[in-house]
Amino acid sequence: LEQRQKESDKISKWAKDEDQFHLKQALLRSSIRISDGRAKPIDLLAKYISAEGENDAVEMHEPYTYLNGLSITDLEDLLEDILVYQRLEKGNNCEYWEDITVIVKDELHKLRKLDSRTGSQYEA
């Protein structure tokens, strides 16, 4: 029984370490894309929340501005990326990601409504 508990603890620690590794890799990929000038919206949103209290935060725009000009597909991809960050951060910044999700879904609703009215495949 004690051996099982040790095994369970070991597996639990391994899973936690793996999630930390994936989060660090996601942040590293974001950082590389930002420095290369090919940042995705999720990169800027993640940098915004991680830069809170740092000098970089002064140079950053409000998070909702990173959604300007995104297509329906871009917004759908962003929702998927947000889910990945929420899972990896395990509750950290929960309110921030939930707020961003609400804003993204609202933008998606507006674009879909506009798209259905115009009959266009492209967003304004």
Side-chain angles (χ1 to χ4, degrees):
L1 190 62
E2 190 175 314
Q3 185 64 27
R4 282 188 192 166
Q5 184 60 38
K6 285 181 181 179
E7 287 286 321
S8 177
D9 291 347
K10 188 185 289 187
I11 290 171
S12 176
K13 183 182 179 331
W14 177 79
K16 182 181 174 191
D17 290 347
E18 184 179 18
D19 283 346
Q20 271 305 115
F21 171 77
H22 286 296
L23 179 58
K24 286 180 182 176
Q25 290 299 301
L27 293 171
L28 179 61
R29 283 191 300 274
S30 287
S31 174
I32 290 169
R33 284 192 295 261
I34 289 170
S35 66
D36 287 352
R38 50 187 183 85
K40 293 169 54 177
I42 191 68
D43 300 331
L44 301 171
L45 292 169
K47 181 175 170 75
Y48 182 88
I49 194 67
S50 67
E52 241 180 39
E54 294 180 16
N55 292 339
D56 286 352
V58 175
E59 300 171 17
M60 302 199 65
H61 302 284
E62 288 298 314
Y64 66 87
T65 62
Y66 299 124
L67 307 179
N68 293 340
L70 295 182
S71 68
I72 290 174
T73 304
D74 293 336
L75 291 170
E76 290 169 341
D77 289 346
L78 179 55
L79 283 176
E80 291 298 318
D81 291 338
I82 289 170
L83 288 174
V84 170
Y85 269 86
Q86 284 179 311
R87 185 180 64 78
L88 291 175
E89 290 187 351
K90 295 185 184 231
N92 292 335
N93 307 315
C94 183
E95 288 181 21
Y96 171 77
W97 291 120
E98 287 173 3
D99 292 345
I100 294 297
T101 299
V102 168
I103 294 168
V104 172
K105 286 181 177 179
D106 183 59
E107 288 297 314
L108 256 175
H109 176 73
K110 288 178 193 173
L111 285 177
R112 287 180 176 142
K113 192 173 181 180
L114 179 66
D115 193 40
S116 69
R117 267 193 266 148
T118 62
S120 169
Q121 293 180 349
Y122 305 100
E123 292 76 29

PDB file of all heavy atoms in Angstrom, residues 75 100-111:
ATOM      1  N   LEU A  75     -10.084  34.524 -34.702  1.00  0.00           N
ATOM      2  CA  LEU A  75     -10.717  34.572 -33.381  1.00  0.00           C
ATOM      3  C   LEU A  75     -11.010  33.165 -32.856  1.00  0.00           C
ATOM      4  O   LEU A  75     -10.837  32.893 -31.663  1.00  0.00           O
ATOM      5  CB  LEU A  75     -11.995  35.408 -33.429  1.00  0.00           C
ATOM      6  CG  LEU A  75     -11.782  36.912 -33.635  1.00  0.00           C
ATOM      7  CD1 LEU A  75     -13.108  37.613 -33.909  1.00  0.00           C
ATOM      8  CD2 LEU A  75     -11.086  37.548 -32.443  1.00  0.00           C
ATOM      9  N   ILE A 100     -11.047  37.780 -21.339  1.00  0.00           N
ATOM     10  CA  ILE A 100     -10.620  37.815 -22.745  1.00  0.00           C
ATOM     11  C   ILE A 100     -11.518  36.902 -23.583  1.00  0.00           C
ATOM     12  O   ILE A 100     -11.910  37.255 -24.699  1.00  0.00           O
ATOM     13  CB  ILE A 100      -9.131  37.407 -22.880  1.00  0.00           C
ATOM     14  CG1 ILE A 100      -8.218  38.438 -22.210  1.00  0.00           C
ATOM     15  CG2 ILE A 100      -8.747  37.216 -24.342  1.00  0.00           C
ATOM     16  CD1 ILE A 100      -8.258  39.829 -22.824  1.00  0.00           C
ATOM     17  N   THR A 101     -11.870  35.754 -23.040  1.00  0.00           N
ATOM     18  CA  THR A 101     -12.744  34.823 -23.758  1.00  0.00           C
ATOM     19  C   THR A 101     -14.095  35.470 -24.050  1.00  0.00           C
ATOM     20  O   THR A 101     -14.623  35.342 -25.161  1.00  0.00           O
ATOM     21  CB  THR A 101     -12.936  33.523 -22.949  1.00  0.00           C
ATOM     22  OG1 THR A 101     -11.656  32.906 -22.782  1.00  0.00           O
ATOM     23  CG2 THR A 101     -13.867  32.557 -23.655  1.00  0.00           C
ATOM     24  N   VAL A 102     -14.654  36.183 -23.086  1.00  0.00           N
ATOM     25  CA  VAL A 102     -15.934  36.873 -23.288  1.00  0.00           C
ATOM     26  C   VAL A 102     -15.810  37.895 -24.413  1.00  0.00           C
ATOM     27  O   VAL A 102     -16.674  37.971 -25.300  1.00  0.00           O
ATOM     28  CB  VAL A 102     -16.408  37.555 -21.976  1.00  0.00           C
ATOM     29  CG1 VAL A 102     -17.563  38.503 -22.231  1.00  0.00           C
ATOM     30  CG2 VAL A 102     -16.785  36.503 -20.945  1.00  0.00           C
ATOM     31  N   ILE A 103     -14.723  38.652 -24.412  1.00  0.00           N
ATOM     32  CA  ILE A 103     -14.518  39.675 -25.438  1.00  0.00           C
ATOM     33  C   ILE A 103     -14.352  39.027 -26.810  1.00  0.00           C
ATOM     34  O   ILE A 103     -14.947  39.480 -27.796  1.00  0.00           O
ATOM     35  CB  ILE A 103     -13.288  40.554 -25.091  1.00  0.00           C
ATOM     36  CG1 ILE A 103     -13.563  41.350 -23.816  1.00  0.00           C
ATOM     37  CG2 ILE A 103     -12.941  41.485 -26.242  1.00  0.00           C
ATOM     38  CD1 ILE A 103     -12.338  42.014 -23.216  1.00  0.00           C
ATOM     39  N   VAL A 104     -13.570  37.958 -26.887  1.00  0.00           N
ATOM     40  CA  VAL A 104     -13.354  37.264 -28.167  1.00  0.00           C
ATOM     41  C   VAL A 104     -14.673  36.704 -28.696  1.00  0.00           C
ATOM     42  O   VAL A 104     -14.987  36.839 -29.884  1.00  0.00           O
ATOM     43  CB  VAL A 104     -12.290  36.151 -28.031  1.00  0.00           C
ATOM     44  CG1 VAL A 104     -12.212  35.309 -29.291  1.00  0.00           C
ATOM     45  CG2 VAL A 104     -10.924  36.753 -27.722  1.00  0.00           C
ATOM     46  N   LYS A 105     -15.451  36.084 -27.819  1.00  0.00           N
ATOM     47  CA  LYS A 105     -16.740  35.530 -28.248  1.00  0.00           C
ATOM     48  C   LYS A 105     -17.685  36.621 -28.736  1.00  0.00           C
ATOM     49  O   LYS A 105     -18.426  36.427 -29.703  1.00  0.00           O
ATOM     50  CB  LYS A 105     -17.378  34.720 -27.117  1.00  0.00           C
ATOM     51  CG  LYS A 105     -16.696  33.393 -26.889  1.00  0.00           C
ATOM     52  CD  LYS A 105     -17.360  32.609 -25.774  1.00  0.00           C
ATOM     53  CE  LYS A 105     -16.695  31.247 -25.615  1.00  0.00           C
ATOM     54  NZ  LYS A 105     -17.301  30.468 -24.518  1.00  0.00           N
ATOM     55  N   ASP A 106     -17.650  37.779 -28.082  1.00  0.00           N
ATOM     56  CA  ASP A 106     -18.476  38.907 -28.516  1.00  0.00           C
ATOM     57  C   ASP A 106     -18.049  39.388 -29.898  1.00  0.00           C
ATOM     58  O   ASP A 106     -18.889  39.648 -30.766  1.00  0.00           O
ATOM     59  CB  ASP A 106     -18.391  40.053 -27.495  1.00  0.00           C
ATOM     60  CG  ASP A 106     -19.291  41.211 -27.860  1.00  0.00           C
ATOM     61  OD1 ASP A 106     -20.520  40.986 -27.974  1.00  0.00           O
ATOM     62  OD2 ASP A 106     -18.767  42.327 -28.046  1.00  0.00           O
ATOM     63  N   GLU A 107     -16.739  39.494 -30.117  1.00  0.00           N
ATOM     64  CA  GLU A 107     -16.230  39.899 -31.435  1.00  0.00           C
ATOM     65  C   GLU A 107     -16.617  38.875 -32.494  1.00  0.00           C
ATOM     66  O   GLU A 107     -17.003  39.240 -33.608  1.00  0.00           O
ATOM     67  CB  GLU A 107     -14.705  40.072 -31.398  1.00  0.00           C
ATOM     68  CG  GLU A 107     -14.237  41.298 -30.650  1.00  0.00           C
ATOM     69  CD  GLU A 107     -14.707  42.595 -31.281  1.00  0.00           C
ATOM     70  OE1 GLU A 107     -14.596  42.748 -32.521  1.00  0.00           O
ATOM     71  OE2 GLU A 107     -15.207  43.454 -30.533  1.00  0.00           O
ATOM     72  N   LEU A 108     -16.527  37.607 -32.155  1.00  0.00           N
ATOM     73  CA  LEU A 108     -16.927  36.541 -33.078  1.00  0.00           C
ATOM     74  C   LEU A 108     -18.409  36.674 -33.449  1.00  0.00           C
ATOM     75  O   LEU A 108     -18.771  36.560 -34.616  1.00  0.00           O
ATOM     76  CB  LEU A 108     -16.701  35.179 -32.427  1.00  0.00           C
ATOM     77  CG  LEU A 108     -15.501  34.379 -32.870  1.00  0.00           C
ATOM     78  CD1 LEU A 108     -15.364  33.119 -32.034  1.00  0.00           C
ATOM     79  CD2 LEU A 108     -15.501  34.064 -34.322  1.00  0.00           C
ATOM     80  N   HIS A 109     -19.232  36.929 -32.444  1.00  0.00           N
ATOM     81  CA  HIS A 109     -20.671  37.092 -32.676  1.00  0.00           C
ATOM     82  C   HIS A 109     -20.928  38.264 -33.631  1.00  0.00           C
ATOM     83  O   HIS A 109     -21.711  38.144 -34.578  1.00  0.00           O
ATOM     84  CB  HIS A 109     -21.387  37.309 -31.343  1.00  0.00           C
ATOM     85  CG  HIS A 109     -22.848  37.572 -31.476  1.00  0.00           C
ATOM     86  ND1 HIS A 109     -23.746  36.589 -31.808  1.00  0.00           N
ATOM     87  CD2 HIS A 109     -23.560  38.725 -31.349  1.00  0.00           C
ATOM     88  CE1 HIS A 109     -24.957  37.112 -31.881  1.00  0.00           C
ATOM     89  NE2 HIS A 109     -24.866  38.406 -31.598  1.00  0.00           N
ATOM     90  N   LYS A 110     -20.243  39.379 -33.395  1.00  0.00           N
ATOM     91  CA  LYS A 110     -20.416  40.561 -34.263  1.00  0.00           C
ATOM     92  C   LYS A 110     -20.008  40.242 -35.698  1.00  0.00           C
ATOM     93  O   LYS A 110     -20.706  40.607 -36.646  1.00  0.00           O
ATOM     94  CB  LYS A 110     -19.575  41.735 -33.745  1.00  0.00           C
ATOM     95  CG  LYS A 110     -20.087  42.364 -32.484  1.00  0.00           C
ATOM     96  CD  LYS A 110     -19.131  43.481 -32.075  1.00  0.00           C
ATOM     97  CE  LYS A 110     -19.373  43.953 -30.678  1.00  0.00           C
ATOM     98  NZ  LYS A 110     -18.338  44.921 -30.237  1.00  0.00           N
ATOM     99  N   LEU A 111     -18.852  39.575 -35.869  1.00  0.00           N
ATOM    100  CA  LEU A 111     -18.374  39.275 -37.218  1.00  0.00           C
ATOM    101  C   LEU A 111     -19.288  38.280 -37.937  1.00  0.00           C
ATOM    102  O   LEU A 111     -19.545  38.422 -39.131  1.00  0.00           O
ATOM    103  CB  LEU A 111     -16.945  38.729 -37.179  1.00  0.00           C
ATOM    104  CG  LEU A 111     -15.846  39.749 -36.913  1.00  0.00           C
ATOM    105  CD1 LEU A 111     -14.487  39.061 -36.836  1.00  0.00           C
ATOM    106  CD2 LEU A 111     -15.823  40.823 -37.973  1.00  0.00           C
TER     107      LEU A 111
END
